[in-house]
Amino acid sequence: MSTNSSLIDSVIQWAYHPDFNTFTIPNFDKPIPQWPFSTNNHFLKDIFYPFSLKTSTPIIIAITYFLSVHQFNKIVLKRQINQFKRENPNTKLPKNLKSLKPAPYSIAKTKIFKILVLIHNIFLCVYSIWTFIGMTSTIHKLSQSIFPKLFSSVKSSPISKFESFWHAICNNNDSVNQIWSNNTSLQTMGLTFYAYLFYLSKYYEILDTIIILLKGRPSSLLQSYHHSGAILCMWSGTRYMSAPIWIFVVFNSFIHSLMYAYFSLSCIHIRLPKWFKQSLTTLQITQFVLGGSLAVVHLFVRYYDTVNQKFNSCVPTSEEALAIYINVLYLTPLTLLFAAFYVDSYKKKHDLAKKNA
C-alpha cells in the first residue's frame, strides 16, 4: 500500500444518506459467491451450492413450508377436538381452543422419537455455540490484528477499536483481509463460510415445527413466520454478500445457544426457572430491535479503502441493500408477534395469578 501525501484523521466517516446505488433495481443475475469450502465434491460444489442460492429456491421452500404448516394445523386441531370429545362426552368445547390438550401421534410417544428430539436440540445448541465463537473470533482477529497495521502509514493517529471494528465488518476491496474471506494467516473462516452454513441451518430448523406437530400441538403463526422469514433473510444476505448479515449470524447464534440448551434440558426433564424462559423471549425481542437498527446503520457508514485509497460505502450496491430491506421488513412484524407472545405468556398470566392470589 502506498503512503498518502497527507495523513487522514479518521478511516471511518458517516454520511447523511445511503449510497444512491442502493436505490437502483438489484441485479438478480449477479454471480454467486465463491465456493467457501475446501472440498471439491462435484455434486456439492457445482450442483447443490448454486441451486441452494437460486432466487426461486428459498422463496418456493419458504412459501410451501408456511402454507403446509397451516394445513397440518387444521388436522392436528381436529385430532385435539376429537380427543376432547372422547374424554369429555358431556362437556362443551372450550371457547379457547388453544387450551385443548395435545393429541400426539403414536411415533411421538416412542422412546426413539424422544431420543432423536434430544439429539436434535443438542446438535443445534452445539452448532450455535460453534458458529457464535467462530464468527466473533473472525471479527476480533481482523479488527485487532489486521487493520491497525494497515492504517499505520495513512492515519495521523493510531486506529481506534471503533474504527477497526467497522473496517472488519464492512465488505472492503481487500480480497484477503475482509470479513467474507477465509484468512489462512489468521487461521479464520470468513462470513462466506459461516453465513452459508447458517443459511442451510434455517432449513434444518424446520424440524422444530415437525416435532411440534407430531407432539399433537398446532404450530403458531409466530413459529411458521419466524422460520420461513429467516430462510429468506439468510439467503439474501449470503447470496449478495451483504455486510450486515454478520448481525443475524452472531446475534441469532447466541440466542439459539441458550434456547436449544433450554430445550435440551427440558427433554431430560430438567426444569429451569420461569424467569429464564422469560429472559430468552426478552433477549429475542432485543435482538430484533437492536439487530435491525444496527443493520440500517451500515447504510450510512463510509470506510477508507486501503486498495483504492478513498472512502467507500459499507453497503455500496442495491443487491447488498436488498438484504437489509428484507430483514427490516421481516423483523418489524416478527417483533410485534414476539411482543404479543410475551404479553400473552407472561404479563397476562402474571396479572391473572396476582388477581387470584
Side-chain angles (χ1 to χ4, degrees):
M1 182 183 72
S2 60
T3 304
N4 281 359
S5 56
S6 60
L7 298 180
I8 55 178
D9 294 325
S10 177
V11 294
I12 292 294
Q13 294 181 350
W14 296 91
Y16 292 106
H17 56 77
D19 192 300
F20 290 116
N21 290 328
T22 61
F23 299 110
T24 60
I25 298 175
N27 175 19
F28 295 104
D29 294 325
K30 184 178 180 180
I32 63 174
Q34 289 187 342
W35 174 245
F37 307 106
S38 57
T39 178
N40 287 316
N41 180 275
H42 171 66
F43 172 77
L44 293 177
K45 182 179 179 180
D46 302 321
I47 299 176
F48 179 79
Y49 181 65
F51 172 79
S52 66
L53 293 178
K54 283 180 61 177
T55 304
S56 59
T57 299
I59 294 176
I60 292 173
I61 294 177
I63 292 176
T64 302
Y65 159 74
F66 186 84
L67 296 177
S68 298
V69 166
H70 291 280
Q71 288 301 313
F72 282 113
N73 276 348
K74 295 177 183 179
I75 298 173
V76 171
L77 180 59
K78 187 176 181 179
R79 285 174 56 85
Q80 289 179 291
I81 292 173
N82 291 337
Q83 175 181 264
F84 179 86
K85 289 179 177 179
R86 287 196 306 269
E87 296 177 352
N88 307 276
N90 300 317
T91 306
K92 291 183 178 180
L93 280 171
K95 292 182 179 180
N96 183 12
L97 295 180
K98 291 182 179 180
S99 63
L100 291 173
K101 285 169 47 180
Y105 287 86
S106 299
I107 189 175
K109 300 176 183 178
T110 63
K111 188 174 182 179
I112 186 64
F113 176 83
K114 295 175 182 178
I115 292 174
L116 289 175
V117 171
L118 174 61
I119 293 173
H120 164 76
N121 288 316
I122 292 175
F123 168 72
L124 283 176
C125 176
V126 173
Y127 166 71
S128 298
I129 293 171
W130 174 79
T131 300
F132 177 75
I133 293 175
M135 196 66 255
T136 52
S137 175
T138 295
I139 294 174
H140 176 75
K141 287 182 179 180
L142 280 173
S143 61
Q144 299 301 313
S145 303
I146 296 296
F147 294 106
K149 297 177 182 177
L150 288 178
F151 290 105
S152 60
S153 60
V154 298
K155 194 172 182 295
S156 57
S157 60
I159 185 172
S160 66
K161 291 183 178 180
F162 177 82
E163 292 172 310
S164 62
F165 169 76
W166 278 104
H167 264 275
I169 60 178
C170 285
N171 190 15
N172 62 70
N173 289 319
D174 188 334
S175 60
V176 176
N177 301 311
Q178 63 151 292
I179 193 172
W180 286 91
S181 300
N182 297 335
N183 193 310
T184 53
S185 62
L186 292 179
Q187 295 183 328
T188 60
M189 305 303 290
L191 192 51
T192 312
F193 174 83
Y194 287 111
Y196 181 68
L197 288 178
F198 207 67
Y199 163 58
L200 293 183
S201 76
K202 297 304 152 189
Y203 292 106
Y204 177 76
E205 287 173 12
I206 289 175
L207 275 177
D208 289 347
T209 304
I210 296 174
I211 290 169
I212 290 173
L213 293 172
L214 289 175
K215 286 183 175 181
R217 297 193 305 271
S219 177
S220 65
L221 173 63
L222 171 60
Q223 173 98 0
S224 54
Y225 176 81
H226 186 18
H227 284 308
S228 55
I231 290 172
L232 295 173
C233 288
M234 279 307 305
W235 165 81
S236 60
T238 305
R239 169 66 178 84
Y240 296 113
M241 299 176 68
S242 183
I245 205 65
W246 73 267
I247 302 170
F248 202 126
V249 176
V250 171
F251 285 29
N252 198 237
S253 63
F254 173 73
I255 298 297
H256 277 196
S257 300
L258 301 175
M259 186 179 77
Y260 284 106
Y262 173 82
F263 290 157
S264 298
L265 292 174
S266 297
C267 286
I268 55 177
H269 306 293
I270 296 178
R271 302 295 178 185
L272 295 179
K274 182 181 177 180
W275 62 261
F276 185 85
K277 185 178 179 181
Q278 186 172 347
S279 297
L280 276 178
T281 307
T282 302
L283 282 172
Q284 285 175 314
I285 295 173
T286 304
Q287 169 199 187
F288 303 144
V289 175
L290 181 60
S293 302
L294 185 55
V296 173
V297 168
H298 285 66
L299 291 166
F300 301 90
V301 175
R302 304 292 185 267
Y303 70 93
Y304 186 79
D305 182 5
T306 57
V307 176
N308 298 321
Q309 298 186 349
K310 65 177 184 178
F311 282 92
N312 291 335
S313 173
C314 190
V315 183
T317 68
S318 56
E319 295 82 33
E320 293 176 54
L322 177 66
I324 300 178
Y325 302 146
I326 289 176
N327 272 269
V328 171
L329 287 173
Y330 161 68
L331 289 175
T332 301
L334 182 63
T335 304
L336 296 176
L337 286 171
F338 262 95
F341 171 79
Y342 183 93
V343 171
D344 188 55
S345 298
Y346 308 116
K347 182 64 177 174
K348 286 184 179 180
K349 289 182 180 179
H350 174 75
D351 292 344
L352 182 62
K354 190 175 181 181
K355 183 180 179 180
N356 296 332

